[in-house]
Amino acid sequence: MCALFANDIQFLKLTENMRILFTCPPEERVVRQAIAKKLLELGSGFNIAHGDGFENLSDLGFNDDLFFRISETKDFSNDIYPDDQLQLAKHLNQPENLKALMDLYASSSILAPRNCDVNKINGMMLNRLPGNVVSTKAFLTIKSSGVNSLVLFTELWRKRMMTHTKTGMPDHVLRLKKGCVVMLLRNMDAERGLVNGTRMIVTEIRTGGAGKWLKCIILNGEHAGQVVQLPRINFDHTPDEKIPFEFTRKQFPVKICFAMTIMKSQGQTFSGK
């Protein structure tokens, strides 16, 4: 059947950065699109001169004064997120503390080329943030039709579904703290600034009772300061070589974002380090 209309199939590519389009003033969009393009090329390995992982950022059009070299990841994170400012998360009910922590997150971030590096740094930063960790487990549902879901839902497949996380999906077990910074993983409501890549601070976590939701405040763009409430939503897994059947993971649509990949940072704006 596919052969009947194969010649009529048209491939479309995404050409607009939605986060830039909806979260910055029109007069800044051209400049930010150019910076986003350079960051995307750097993250994708294009226009790389040396090929050894070390590049002169000024050669790529970046201001070298915005970057510094450091040998230890811990020292690096301490410089970006000083301990005395992270301690403000203990008293988010005080407006001055909340504003100071929001200003820190809005102006700074750590960029890394690989997701494994980002996950390591984010885990370390979550441990540095004061307060108790709240772990929320996703709800899993087998979707594949014509397949015995009871057979698939064995301990082996259960573990694989819990540990296998594709790009754009939240973790099965999401670890959060009040006062942590997160990134939205889905386009939910562009007019309210809730698009893929929006960074927010978590101010309240509800995981029991009648409903499960996160209360967050948007950090950047024209919607900065807006309070939003995020429910758990469904994320669909399509079959691949690791898990050859469809399943749904219902989880909060966020991930910890003290650090992010260079590719994911396209369209973001930071006034600090």
Side-chain angles (χ1 to χ4, degrees):
M1 183 178 292
C2 293
L4 297 177
F5 54 83
N7 294 331
D8 298 323
I9 294 176
Q10 183 179 4
F11 292 93
L12 303 177
K13 295 183 178 181
L14 298 178
T15 59
E16 293 285 351
N17 186 307
M18 296 295 290
R19 215 199 70 80
I20 292 179
L21 190 62
F22 286 99
T23 61
C24 72
E27 62 272 13
E28 297 182 16
R29 288 174 187 168
V30 174
V31 174
R32 293 194 187 185
Q33 286 281 19
I35 294 175
K37 184 174 182 291
K38 289 181 179 179
L39 284 173
L40 181 61
E41 291 176 347
L42 181 62
S44 301
F46 301 132
N47 297 329
I48 299 301
H50 308 298
D52 56 3
F54 296 93
E55 297 299 319
N56 187 339
L57 295 174
S58 59
D59 292 342
L60 297 173
F62 295 102
N63 184 351
D64 204 43
D65 294 337
L66 297 176
F67 301 86
F68 59 91
R69 295 181 180 274
I70 200 158
S71 58
E72 297 292 334
T73 304
K74 184 176 180 180
D75 294 337
F76 189 102
S77 67
N78 287 340
D79 193 276
I80 302 296
Y81 300 108
D83 277 325
D84 59 334
Q85 295 196 53
L86 291 180
Q87 293 303 311
L88 298 174
K90 291 180 179 179
H91 306 289
L92 288 182
N93 57 324
Q94 299 178 14
E96 63 274 14
N97 288 349
L98 177 59
K99 182 180 185 305
L101 197 56
M102 288 177 61
D103 289 343
L104 172 66
Y105 292 158
S107 63
S108 306
S109 186
I110 299 174
L111 305 185
R114 301 180 302 172
N115 276 311
C116 60
D117 299 320
V118 167
N119 294 337
K120 179 180 178 181
I121 295 171
N122 281 329
M124 179 184 66
M125 287 302 307
L126 191 66
N127 291 334
R128 285 185 54 204
L129 193 71
N132 297 322
V133 173
V134 178
S135 296
T136 66
K137 291 185 178 181
F139 182 78
L140 300 175
T141 305
I142 301 290
K143 290 186 62 179
S144 294
S145 60
V147 178
N148 189 332
S149 60
L150 294 178
V151 172
L152 287 177
F153 216 68
T154 60
E155 189 63 24
L156 171 63
W157 289 116
R158 187 195 300 269
K159 287 183 178 180
R160 288 193 181 183
M161 286 188 287
M162 289 179 178
T163 57
H164 182 47
T165 300
K166 285 187 173 181
T167 300
M169 290 184 70
D171 291 334
H172 174 74
V173 179
L174 189 60
R175 301 173 69 248
L176 301 170
K177 286 184 180 181
K178 288 180 63 175
C180 70
V181 57
V182 296
M183 176 181 286
L184 190 63
L185 298 176
R186 278 283 179 87
N187 292 326
M188 297 182 67
D189 189 341
E191 292 185 356
R192 296 176 58 207
L194 294 176
V195 296
N196 189 351
T198 296
R199 297 171 72 239
M200 301 168 286
I201 182 173
V202 176
T203 60
E204 190 172 347
I205 306 169
R206 179 162 182 167
T207 60
K212 295 179 173 64
W213 43 261
L214 301 178
K215 183 177 288 186
C216 306
I217 303 177
I218 295 176
L219 294 172
N220 299 96
E222 62 181 287
H223 298 280
Q226 179 172 310
V227 179
V228 296
Q229 188 169 303
L230 302 177
R232 297 198 303 171
I233 65 174
N234 290 331
F235 289 82
D236 294 330
H237 167 85
T238 54
D240 59 18
E241 66 280 0
K242 293 186 177 180
I243 302 181
F245 55 86
E246 296 179 327
F247 71 88
T248 296
R249 177 180 293 175
K250 188 175 184 179
Q251 181 60 283
F252 293 118
V254 298
K255 67 177 297 182
I256 294 292
C257 192
F258 292 97
M260 69 181 79
T261 62
I262 294 173
M263 185 174 295
K264 196 66 178 180
S265 72
Q266 59 171 314
Q268 302 282 346
T269 302
F270 307 105
S271 58
K273 294 181 179 178

